[in-house]
Amino acid sequence: MQVSKRQFLKGVGALLAGASFYGVTRSPQADSTQAAEATPEIKYAMVHDENACIGCNACIDACREVNHVPDGVSRVKIERSGPFGEYPEQSYRFSRVSCQHCEAAPCVRVCPTGAAYIDKATGIVAVNSDRCVGCQYCIAACPYQVRYIHPETRTADKCDFCQKSRLAKGLEPACVEACPTKALTFGNLKDPESDLVKLLKAKPSYRAKVDLGTRPKLFHIQTIDGEIML
Amino acid sequence: MSAFHFEGLVWHWPIAIYLFLAGLSAGAVFFAIMLKHFKLAHEAWHSPFVQAAAIIAPVAVFGGLGILVFDLTRPLDFWKILVFYNTTSVMSMGVLVLMAYQLVLFAWIACVFQRRITQLLGKRLPIVQRLLNWLVKQEAAITGILVILAISLGAYTGFLLSALIGFPLLNNPVLPLLFLISGLSSGAAATLLGGVLLRGNPNGVEVRFIHGIEIPLILVEIGLLFTFFAGLILSGGQSQVAALNALGFGFWGWIFWAGVIGIGLTLPLAFNLWMKVSADRKFAYVAVTASFSLIGVFLLRNFILYTGQMTGT
Ligand code: SF4
Ligand code: SF4
Ligand code: SF4
């Protein structure tokens, strides 16, 4: 018995050695769910003012063109509810559905390869498509159902606040620029002088499914138009 | 809403088969180890039941992994899961467990069948002989680690789904335990079925041993299923919606009541209890009971996977 116990301990020792070796090889991007030590200067967020939105879908079209999003999938959707009231006084409510750039992102937590990651410098949740194997775990894990498999690259894709297309050139996201009623505001949460922070301080806003602990960074300003719904 | 295609469905039946096979492999190994440890000792290698488990366990885990890889949108990039790791990802940790499990599984099989392999080899390949002898000396450690890995693998199949926080039916602490227990019982069933197909004695000591464990296992499984759904219903909100939707009169309701509860649990339990009294076990009896258990567990995996994704928060 003594012998077998020692052998067992030896085996456990080997397991531990393996585990520490693994610590070296694991992906550097993967630990991004833990808070960054140095607090970065930038934390991007977006506000959708549902009072201003008219449901024209200009944001969807602009995003499709700028970010080369193929037909059949979309990085952003505008969900319509209603109509409320009697014709001709009818009204609708519109709400934006797109990546919420969660601070505690479930998609990042579950991704086996670290392909889904949070850019620590900007707080943007993005996909490194070179690493993505298409297991779709992130798609199932995202409570907002905004991720999809890009039909051409066959990797996971979603809104990245135009990180690679427009932000790289110092421009505002395509959807923000395209909106005819200025319903979308994009900016830096850490900058008290930004339009985004000023808007959030001026009007009450809500975020979707905060009870899941995802700490989303897509804010909505609720419309008071229409009916009271239970 | 159709049963196999609906809004929000991400993971399809290949994942259910993968979860089924991984659990089955872990269960078969678990029972083979128990058989050797408590009943057969050094005679284990010529028991058809241990032989069956030694074939089923690796084949099931390879098959499961094959299905998983095939189901990726980029199957050729599979190696990236092996190279890059993410400690917070259940899938990543599970793949690590799977790799270790396969390695230790083959070491254990080599230990158990050492004499047979040595006979076959005769004087050839002395290196293999030396490796075998060395492995046999480590058998206690190998067995211990394999038990831990098999249980981890069985539980992992549940944790993989319970990490999906957007679905109340999946994001449930009872799920890993339920999948572990049902995985073990599917392993027992596969071992029995394989054993009698390999002309094992349906009235032998192995069958009696496994059947003896099966009854408590089935009772625990029924208890867990009850806790699982009672807990969901008592939570209210979307959890309750999800549970009632799953158990209701639709396609999946039938699968659950007739397939999982009826064929998978009640009939094997009834057969088992009845068999306690009358002594002689026949081939058909063992094979049919085992097949029913297997069908039940397979349906349970599909039922949970599909109904789980039907209702989001
Ligand atoms: S909304 Fe979904 S895709 Fe976007 S960060 Fe959150 S979990 Fe990830
Ligand atoms: S689909 Fe790609 S990004 Fe999503 S979890 Fe799998 S590897 Fe990560
Ligand atoms: S921020 Fe960019 S990627 Fe996101 S929805 Fe707008 S245009 Fe598309």
Side-chain angles (χ1 to χ4, degrees), chain A residues 80-133:
Chain A
R80 181 165 87 162
S81 50
F84 303 104
E86 298 295 319
Y87 183 84
E89 293 288 295
Q90 277 176 331
S91 68
Y92 290 89
R93 284 179 183 168
F94 303 101
S95 60
R96 178 183 163 111
V97 179
S98 65
C99 174
Q100 323 269 317
H101 296 275
C102 308
E103 283 284 282
C107 56
V108 174
R109 192 177 329 135
V110 301
C111 176
T113 62
Y117 71 100
I118 297 183
D119 178 14
K120 281 183 182 147
T122 60
I124 291 178
V125 178
V127 182
N128 175 355
S129 61
D130 288 339
R131 281 224 182 152
C132 177
V133 296

Side-chain angles (χ1 to χ4, degrees), chain A residues 3-5 7-12 15 22 25-28 30-31 33-34 77 106 108-114 116 129-143 145 149 153-156 209 211-212 214, chain B residues 7-11 15 71-75 77-81 83-93 96 100 136-145 148-149 159-167 171 309 312-313:
Chain A
V3 176
S4 62
K5 205 186 282 169
Q7 279 166 349
F8 179 75
L9 286 177
K10 248 197 254 167
V12 172
L15 215 63
Y22 139 79
T25 57
R26 82 156 181 222
S27 63
D31 43 8
T33 36
Q34 279 96 39
K77 283 183 201 118
V108 174
R109 192 177 329 135
V110 301
C111 176
T113 62
S129 61
D130 288 339
R131 281 224 182 152
C132 177
V133 296
C135 66
Q136 310 189 52
Y137 203 12
C138 56
I139 302 181
C142 168
Q145 307 200 331
I149 291 291
T153 60
R154 310 290 295 146
T155 54
K209 301 186 184 181
D211 52 326
L212 293 177
T214 48
Chain B
E7 168 103 33
L9 178 68
V10 180
W11 274 350
I15 299 290
D71 197 50
L72 297 175
T73 62
R74 306 210 326 174
D77 287 1
F78 177 69
W79 56 270
K80 287 179 184 165
I81 299 193
V83 176
F84 302 116
Y85 280 100
N86 176 2
T87 31
T88 62
S89 166
V90 178
M91 186 182 287
S92 187
M93 293 300 98
L96 205 69
V136 167
K137 283 201 208 103
Q138 317 295 325
E139 189 175 339
I142 291 173
T143 308
I145 294 173
I148 297 173
L149 287 172
F159 280 118
L160 189 72
L161 296 184
S162 71
L164 300 175
I165 62 168
F167 302 107
N171 183 220
Q309 292 177 83
T313 45

Side-chain angles (χ1 to χ4, degrees), chain A residues 9-217:
Chain A
L9 286 177
K10 248 197 254 167
V12 172
L15 215 63
L16 286 178
S20 43
F21 170 73
Y22 139 79
V24 180
T25 57
R26 82 156 181 222
S27 63
Q29 286 174 324
D31 43 8
S32 39
T33 36
Q34 279 96 39
E37 294 86 9
T39 31
E41 294 298 298
I42 302 176
K43 192 147 272 183
Y44 285 128
M46 190 181 278
V47 183
H48 178 231
D49 187 344
E50 295 169 2
N51 295 291
C53 183
I54 52 169
C56 69
N57 290 353
C59 48
I60 300 175
D61 299 335
C63 177
R64 188 174 300 287
E65 192 178 321
V66 169
N67 296 306
H68 311 291
V69 182
D71 287 338
V73 292
S74 183
R75 291 183 172 196
V76 51
K77 283 183 201 118
I78 298 292
E79 259 174 20
R80 181 165 87 162
S81 50
F84 303 104
E86 298 295 319
Y87 183 84
E89 293 288 295
Q90 277 176 331
S91 68
Y92 290 89
R93 284 179 183 168
F94 303 101
S95 60
R96 178 183 163 111
V97 179
S98 65
C99 174
Q100 323 269 317
H101 296 275
C102 308
E103 283 284 282
C107 56
V108 174
R109 192 177 329 135
V110 301
C111 176
T113 62
Y117 71 100
I118 297 183
D119 178 14
K120 281 183 182 147
T122 60
I124 291 178
V125 178
V127 182
N128 175 355
S129 61
D130 288 339
R131 281 224 182 152
C132 177
V133 296
C135 66
Q136 310 189 52
Y137 203 12
C138 56
I139 302 181
C142 168
Y144 304 92
Q145 307 200 331
V146 296
R147 302 176 74 101
Y148 54 85
I149 291 291
H150 192 292
E152 281 150 27
T153 60
R154 310 290 295 146
T155 54
D157 194 33
K158 62 172 193 76
C159 164
D160 62 353
F161 278 162
C162 292
Q163 180 202 46
K164 294 182 192 85
S165 53
R166 306 260 307 175
L167 287 194
K169 296 183 203 145
L171 300 167
E172 292 236 284
C175 55
V176 176
E177 201 187 65
C179 180
T181 62
K182 304 240 176 307
L184 291 169
T185 309
F186 174 79
N188 181 4
L189 270 178
K190 297 250 162 146
D191 174 8
E193 297 306 313
S194 66
D195 290 347
L196 177 101
V197 173
K198 284 182 186 158
L199 179 59
L200 287 175
K201 294 213 161 174
K203 290 188 183 173
S205 59
Y206 74 94
R207 295 173 296 160
K209 301 186 184 181
V210 277
D211 52 326
L212 293 177
T214 48
R215 296 161 66 207
K217 293 199 289 279

